[in-house]
Amino acid sequence: MERLIEGFDQFRREVFPQQRELFKKLAHGQNPHTMFITCADSRVMPEMIFSTQPGELFVSRNVGNIVPPYGQFVGGVIAAIEYAVQALEVQNIVICGHSDCGAMKAVLHPEHVADKPAVATWLHHAETARHVVAQHDPELCGHDVLKCLTEENVVAQLDHLRTQPAVAARLARGTLRIHGWVYDIEHGEIRAFDAKLGKFVPLLPNVCPMPEATPRPRLAQAVAEALA
Ligand SMILES: [Zn+2]
């Protein structure tokens, strides 16, 4: 605990004075552009990875970067999504998994969490991904199956995300973009799900259009066609 108190002291002495104006502005409200849903893993630090300032990312973390489908479960992540989409009106939602994820390892080896009933129950929300991987190639082993499951879990959670009414309404209108990423801790790289290609590709700067999981905005298209 001394480590945290020393770190806070360093923040107060070195960081806070330099950003005093920013904190003064943020004291009365937030306007984040992106909701970032990721794993609780201590090695994933969104603000460090994306060089963001306080006030930019609305972060929700849980074991396995999971979004339960609508109607089955109401908890912190669902409330955070509703608030981000309806109250904060974020422009983007990112679901970000990562390499060497303990939650994904537990999905592959449920016996490891047999004595942790809360974790085991929570990870049922990753069952779709496990099933997809098992049906796709049961011969995959070791790192490959973990990598494949981690990506499929992001895709499954994107599907769950789209079942949230607030998200579905804004996607239909074309006012929200959704993204599925996997962060590689060892190599400092991100692979992004490209819905058009149906696969993960490297996330690189200055690539236009960037890979994303956003579906076609049906209602915006209908309006455009009606006006044409
Ligand atoms: Zn993890």
Side-chain angles (χ1 to χ4, degrees):
M1 196 43 71
E2 284 75 15
R3 167 76 188 82
L4 295 188
I5 295 169
E6 283 170 18
F8 180 55
D9 185 50
Q10 185 180 352
F11 166 78
R12 294 255 305 155
R13 284 185 287 105
E14 298 176 13
V15 179
F16 188 82
Q18 291 179 7
Q19 310 235 25
R20 192 178 298 276
E21 284 307 308
L22 174 63
F23 287 116
K24 196 172 173 183
K25 190 174 139 202
L26 290 173
H28 304 290
Q30 61 169 330
N31 186 26
H33 48 75
T34 298
M35 177 176 195
F36 200 87
I37 301 169
T38 191
C39 187
D41 193 293
S42 62
R43 299 165 294 178
V44 181
M45 293 181 68
E47 290 83 357
M48 173 185 274
I49 297 168
F50 302 104
S51 309
T52 52
Q53 296 287 316
E56 286 193 74
L57 296 181
F58 188 73
V59 180
S60 176
R61 309 181 66 136
N62 66 67
V63 173
N65 40 273
I66 277 164
V67 176
Y70 179 71
Q72 286 192 12
F73 176 89
V74 175
V77 61
I78 299 301
I81 290 168
E82 193 174 82
Y83 187 74
V85 171
Q86 293 191 198
L88 298 175
E89 298 183 345
V90 295
Q91 298 144 44
N92 313 281
I93 300 179
V94 178
I95 298 178
C96 188
H98 67 96
S99 58
D100 195 51
C101 181
M104 294 302 101
K105 290 178 182 175
V107 171
L108 290 174
H109 300 285
E111 68 276 13
H112 293 175
V113 289
D115 61 342
K116 302 174 187 67
V119 175
T121 301
W122 179 245
L123 291 180
H124 284 162
H125 295 301
E127 174 60 18
T128 299
R130 190 201 64 75
H131 195 72
V132 168
V133 173
Q135 294 294 313
H136 171 60
D137 188 354
E139 299 303 316
L140 279 175
C141 61
H143 175 70
D144 284 340
V145 73
L146 181 61
K147 183 181 175 191
C148 188
L149 176 67
T150 302
E151 292 185 349
E152 282 302 324
N153 181 55
V154 167
V155 173
Q157 305 314 324
L158 284 166
D159 289 342
H160 294 171
L161 178 67
R162 290 170 61 177
T163 68
Q164 305 301 323
V167 172
R170 283 197 46 196
L171 286 175
R173 294 203 312 275
T175 61
L176 179 70
R177 295 167 73 181
I178 58 174
H179 310 264
W181 296 349
V182 174
Y183 168 59
D184 184 319
I185 294 168
E186 183 177 359
H187 301 102
E189 295 169 348
I190 290 176
R191 290 174 66 79
F193 181 62
D194 187 323
K196 285 202 181 85
L197 298 177
K199 65 177 184 178
F200 282 76
V201 297
L203 185 68
L204 302 169
N206 306 318
V207 172
C208 189
M210 68 176 289
E212 59 183 280
T214 311
R216 271 173 165 262
R218 297 185 308 280
L219 297 185
Q221 191 180 11
V223 170
E225 285 172 358
L227 293 173

